[in-house]
Amino acid sequence: MIKVAVLVSGGGTNLQAIIDAKAAGIINNAEISLVISNKPTAFALERARKAGIEARCIAPSEFETREEFNEALIRTLDETGIDLVVLAGFLVIIPEKMVAKYTNKIINIHPSLIPSFCGTGYYGLRVHEKALERGVKVTGATVHFVDEGTDSGPIILQKTVAVKDDDTAESLQLRVMEEAEWKILPEAIELIASDRVKILNGRVKVI
Ligand code: GAR
C-alpha cells in the first residue's frame, strides 16, 4: 500500500473524487495519508477532515522566506513517508528541490489536453476561457508527472470532452471535471500504486 499526499488550494472536488474512489474500491493499493493546503480557508481541508484524513495548512505567509516554506513542505512529506504526491488544484509552484527529491513521484491534474492551453498562467477557469476563445471542438484533462517545467512532464492519462456551442467557461469547467478529471486522476493513482506506470525516454507506458 503506497502512501499518498494530496496538495490542494481550493474547493477540492478532485480530492473528493480520490476519497470516493478509495471508498468505492477503485483505488485499492494506495491510502490517502495526508492533505496539505497552502490556504487556510480551502474547503478541501474540510473534505479531508470529514473523511478522517490528516489535513494541514502550510501557508507561505507563515514563513519569513520562500525557502523556509519550501523546506516545511518537503519536511512534512518526508516525515509522513509519502510515496506519491498528487497536485489536485494546488496553485503553488513546486520547488525545484522537491521535484529533485520526488522525481517521478509527483503527479498533477490539468484541465486541458496538454500541450494545448497549458503552461504559465493557465490554471482553473482561464484554461476553459482560452479554449472557448480559440473555438476548439474538443478539450479534456491530463494527468502528468511533474518535472522542472510547467505542465511539461510525461503524460500518464488523458480524456477528451466535447465542447458544446452554448458552453460558458463555467459549464465547460464542470463538464471537464465530471467527465474527465474526476475519473482519470483516481485511475492514475491506482495505476501508479499497482506499479503499472513506466517511463521510457520521457514517455509513459502503462503495463
Ligand atoms: C481543477 O479543475 C484542476 O484541474 C485545476 O484546478 C481545479 C481545482 O479544482 N488545476 C489547474 O488548473 C492546474 N494548472 P478542485 O479544487 O475542485 O479539485
Short mmCIF file of all heavy atoms in Angstrom, two decimals, residues 10-14 88-89 109-111 122-124 177 181, ligand 1:
data_model
loop_
_atom_site.label_atom_id
_atom_site.label_comp_id
_atom_site.label_asym_id
_atom_site.label_seq_id
_atom_site.Cartn_x
_atom_site.Cartn_y
_atom_site.Cartn_z
N GLY A 10 -8.00 24.83 -3.18
CA GLY A 10 -9.36 25.38 -3.28
C GLY A 10 -10.46 24.43 -2.84
O GLY A 10 -10.39 23.82 -1.77
N GLY A 11 -11.44 24.28 -3.72
CA GLY A 11 -12.65 23.53 -3.39
C GLY A 11 -12.43 22.06 -3.12
O GLY A 11 -13.12 21.45 -2.30
N GLY A 12 -11.48 21.49 -3.82
CA GLY A 12 -11.12 20.10 -3.54
C GLY A 12 -12.06 19.06 -4.12
O GLY A 12 -12.20 17.97 -3.57
N THR A 13 -12.68 19.36 -5.28
CA THR A 13 -13.55 18.33 -5.87
C THR A 13 -12.73 17.15 -6.39
O THR A 13 -13.20 16.01 -6.37
CB THR A 13 -14.43 18.89 -7.01
OG1 THR A 13 -13.60 19.35 -8.08
CG2 THR A 13 -15.32 20.02 -6.51
N ASN A 14 -11.50 17.42 -6.83
CA ASN A 14 -10.65 16.30 -7.24
C ASN A 14 -10.21 15.47 -6.04
O ASN A 14 -10.15 14.24 -6.12
CB ASN A 14 -9.43 16.81 -8.02
CG ASN A 14 -9.76 17.04 -9.48
OD1 ASN A 14 -9.89 16.10 -10.26
ND2 ASN A 14 -9.93 18.31 -9.85
N ALA A 88 -3.71 18.43 -6.76
CA ALA A 88 -5.11 18.46 -7.18
C ALA A 88 -5.63 19.90 -7.03
O ALA A 88 -6.27 20.24 -6.05
CB ALA A 88 -5.94 17.48 -6.36
N GLY A 89 -5.26 20.73 -8.01
CA GLY A 89 -5.62 22.14 -7.92
C GLY A 89 -4.75 22.87 -6.93
O GLY A 89 -5.21 23.77 -6.23
N ILE A 109 -3.03 17.15 -12.03
CA ILE A 109 -4.18 17.13 -12.95
C ILE A 109 -4.29 18.51 -13.58
O ILE A 109 -4.28 19.52 -12.87
CB ILE A 109 -5.49 16.71 -12.22
CG1 ILE A 109 -6.69 16.71 -13.18
CG2 ILE A 109 -5.79 17.57 -11.00
CD1 ILE A 109 -6.88 15.50 -13.97
N HIS A 110 -4.40 18.54 -14.91
CA HIS A 110 -4.55 19.82 -15.63
C HIS A 110 -5.82 19.75 -16.48
O HIS A 110 -6.05 18.75 -17.17
CB HIS A 110 -3.32 20.09 -16.49
CG HIS A 110 -3.40 21.42 -17.17
ND1 HIS A 110 -3.14 22.60 -16.50
CD2 HIS A 110 -3.77 21.77 -18.42
CE1 HIS A 110 -3.33 23.62 -17.31
NE2 HIS A 110 -3.72 23.14 -18.49
N PRO A 111 -6.62 20.84 -16.47
CA PRO A 111 -7.92 20.77 -17.15
C PRO A 111 -7.90 21.09 -18.64
O PRO A 111 -8.74 21.86 -19.13
CB PRO A 111 -8.75 21.80 -16.36
CG PRO A 111 -7.77 22.82 -15.93
CD PRO A 111 -6.46 22.09 -15.71
N TYR A 122 -1.88 29.38 -17.11
CA TYR A 122 -3.06 28.56 -17.46
C TYR A 122 -3.47 27.71 -16.27
O TYR A 122 -2.89 26.65 -16.02
CB TYR A 122 -2.74 27.67 -18.67
CG TYR A 122 -2.79 28.42 -19.98
CD1 TYR A 122 -1.67 29.07 -20.45
CD2 TYR A 122 -3.96 28.47 -20.73
CE1 TYR A 122 -1.70 29.78 -21.65
CE2 TYR A 122 -4.00 29.17 -21.92
CZ TYR A 122 -2.88 29.82 -22.39
OH TYR A 122 -2.93 30.51 -23.56
N TYR A 123 -4.46 28.19 -15.54
CA TYR A 123 -5.00 27.38 -14.44
C TYR A 123 -6.47 27.73 -14.25
O TYR A 123 -6.92 28.82 -14.62
CB TYR A 123 -4.21 27.61 -13.13
CG TYR A 123 -4.21 29.05 -12.67
CD1 TYR A 123 -5.24 29.53 -11.86
CD2 TYR A 123 -3.21 29.92 -13.07
CE1 TYR A 123 -5.25 30.86 -11.46
CE2 TYR A 123 -3.22 31.24 -12.67
CZ TYR A 123 -4.24 31.71 -11.87
OH TYR A 123 -4.27 33.02 -11.49
N GLY A 124 -7.18 26.78 -13.68
CA GLY A 124 -8.59 27.00 -13.35
C GLY A 124 -9.43 27.44 -14.54
O GLY A 124 -9.26 26.95 -15.67
N MET A 177 -14.49 18.46 -15.49
CA MET A 177 -14.28 17.80 -14.19
C MET A 177 -15.05 16.49 -14.11
O MET A 177 -14.48 15.44 -13.82
CB MET A 177 -14.74 18.72 -13.06
CG MET A 177 -13.78 19.84 -12.74
SD MET A 177 -14.50 20.88 -11.46
CE MET A 177 -13.04 21.62 -10.77
N GLU A 181 -11.63 14.79 -15.32
CA GLU A 181 -10.71 14.90 -14.18
C GLU A 181 -11.01 13.91 -13.06
O GLU A 181 -10.10 13.22 -12.57
CB GLU A 181 -10.78 16.32 -13.59
CG GLU A 181 -10.27 17.39 -14.53
CD GLU A 181 -10.26 18.76 -13.88
OE1 GLU A 181 -9.79 18.89 -12.74
OE2 GLU A 181 -10.71 19.73 -14.52
C1 GAR B 1 -9.22 21.62 -11.32
O1 GAR B 1 -10.01 21.88 -12.45
C2 GAR B 1 -7.79 21.33 -11.75
O2 GAR B 1 -7.71 20.64 -12.96
C3 GAR B 1 -7.26 22.73 -11.89
O3 GAR B 1 -7.78 23.41 -10.76
C4 GAR B 1 -9.07 22.87 -10.45
C5 GAR B 1 -9.13 22.55 -8.98
O4 GAR B 1 -10.45 22.20 -8.60
N1 GAR B 1 -5.82 22.76 -11.91
C6 GAR B 1 -5.12 23.57 -12.70
O5 GAR B 1 -5.63 24.41 -13.42
C7 GAR B 1 -3.61 23.39 -12.61
N2 GAR B 1 -2.93 24.09 -13.67
P1 GAR B 1 -10.76 21.37 -7.28
O6 GAR B 1 -10.10 22.12 -6.12
O7 GAR B 1 -12.26 21.40 -7.17
O8 GAR B 1 -10.20 19.98 -7.43
#
